[in-house]
Amino acid sequence: MGEILLRTEDISIQFGALKAVNKVSISIEENKFTTILGPNGAGKTTFFNLLSGLYKPTEGKVFFRDKDITGQTPQERIKEGIGRSFQLTNVFPKLTVRENVRLAAQSAANVGFRLFKSYKSYAEVNARSDELLEQVLLHDKAPLRASELTHGEQRKLELAMVLALEPEVLLLDEPTAGMSVEEVPVMIDLLRQIKEKGTTIVLIEHKMNMVKALSDKLIIMVNGEFLCEGDPEEVSRNPEVMEAYLGGGVVNVTA
């Protein structure tokens, strides 16, 4: 096993009588691609919200490189090295594509606004923004407003914005949600490139071709609880996973 980058210890959150996440303890290895799977209502997105600091746990702890970050805000966790995308696209629609990425790059470089100073003077930030737009295949769309992009292009723009923050671990909540069938392979290729550059990725996704193409490890959640983990082949043969998904059928995560 490689070095543990991110882990939880009996983390739980309760909304009234509902325990959406119940005592989940998982470990995310550095430089690995981990996918969290589970039926609808399994608590996957809520668990992501606990990892990223959007929600505070009712009990339990979150650790990043063995540092307790349970009480940190989302902004503080970004500075630690945790980047997050959401199920719904989260971009600035009235800004241009380049401006969206440049704002994130400026934040990562700790470059603030200075009156009477042209944005063109921020050479490194501009170069980094262009590099990221090239990486996500949006460089030719840079002058457009984000609202003019297709949904799939907006998902790629959001990915570029998260990458601009230079995270050590990338939390991706269904990055292909709403994409056309033709756009999904492009996103798979982008994530493969990011993985190959050494970024640790944690994914929530329902598209099994994506899971097969990218994942080193699967973590299964059911009813807010951890069920099991392992490589795709191992998990697909787990009787409890078969029961949770299909009432005893075969879970096709490797085809």
Side-chain angles (χ1 to χ4, degrees):
M1 178 179 289
E3 183 177 352
I4 301 302
L5 186 61
L6 181 65
R7 66 182 175 90
T8 63
E9 188 176 283
D10 289 332
I11 200 164
S12 304
I13 189 168
Q14 189 161 341
F15 302 104
L18 173 65
K19 209 154 196 179
V21 174
N22 185 27
K23 294 188 178 298
V24 173
S25 298
I26 60 100
S27 296
I28 303 299
E29 290 182 56
E30 190 171 18
N31 301 328
K32 297 292 185 181
F33 197 116
T34 302
T35 298
I36 299 177
L37 290 172
N40 289 335
K44 303 181 298 296
T45 295
T46 301
F47 182 66
F48 255 35
N49 289 338
L50 291 167
L51 290 179
S52 63
L54 199 61
Y55 290 165
K56 299 300 181 187
T58 306
E59 58 182 306
K61 294 181 179 181
V62 182
F63 296 88
F64 184 73
R65 293 197 179 280
D66 282 332
K67 177 181 178 180
D68 187 345
I69 60 169
T70 310
Q72 288 189 352
T73 65
Q75 293 75 22
E76 289 170 332
R77 296 190 195 197
I78 288 171
K79 291 180 180 178
E80 293 283 354
I82 300 173
R84 162 82 189 273
S85 77
F86 294 82
Q87 280 181 307
L88 300 178
T89 306
N90 193 21
V91 301
F92 299 103
K94 294 184 178 181
L95 297 182
T96 68
V97 171
R98 179 176 281 112
E99 287 168 344
N100 268 271
V101 179
R102 191 171 64 236
L103 280 175
Q106 282 183 212
S107 175
N110 199 28
V111 176
F113 173 77
R114 295 179 186 176
L115 193 62
F116 305 125
K117 187 170 183 178
S118 169
Y119 76 88
K120 294 180 181 179
S121 63
Y122 298 101
E124 290 186 9
V125 170
N126 292 327
R128 176 62 174 156
S129 300
D130 287 341
E131 176 189 334
L132 288 165
L133 288 174
E134 287 277 10
Q135 183 176 352
V136 300
L137 309 177
L138 287 178
H139 196 266
D140 61 332
K141 307 284 186 178
L144 300 180
R145 289 191 178 189
S147 59
E148 298 178 74
L149 299 180
T150 66
H151 176 77
E153 289 170 340
Q154 289 185 9
R155 298 298 288 183
K156 290 189 286 186
L157 174 56
E158 185 184 27
L159 180 60
M161 293 167 66
V162 177
L163 290 173
L165 300 173
E166 300 180 355
E168 289 188 67
V169 58
L170 190 57
L171 307 178
L172 301 176
D173 194 348
E174 296 192 44
T176 62
M179 280 189 169
S180 67
V181 174
E182 295 78 14
E183 290 173 312
V184 171
V186 177
M187 180 61 78
I188 291 176
D189 285 341
L190 288 174
L191 295 182
R192 183 182 289 110
Q193 292 172 27
I194 295 166
K195 174 186 176 182
E196 289 172 353
K197 290 185 177 181
T199 301
T200 303
I201 299 176
V202 186
L203 175 76
I204 292 176
E205 185 54 67
H206 293 293
K207 295 180 176 64
M208 294 300 103
N209 60 329
M210 196 171 201
V211 169
K212 175 189 175 184
L214 298 170
S215 301
D216 297 306
K217 182 173 78 171
L218 303 184
I219 293 175
I220 307 298
M221 289 183 64
V222 177
N223 297 325
E225 298 182 350
F226 170 89
L227 180 64
C228 68
E229 65 180 18
D231 62 50
E233 178 67 28
E234 177 185 357
V235 168
S236 69
R237 298 182 183 281
N238 186 304
E240 291 180 289
V241 176
M242 296 179 188
E243 181 66 29
Y245 270 94
L246 300 173
V250 175
V251 181
N252 186 17
V253 297
T254 59

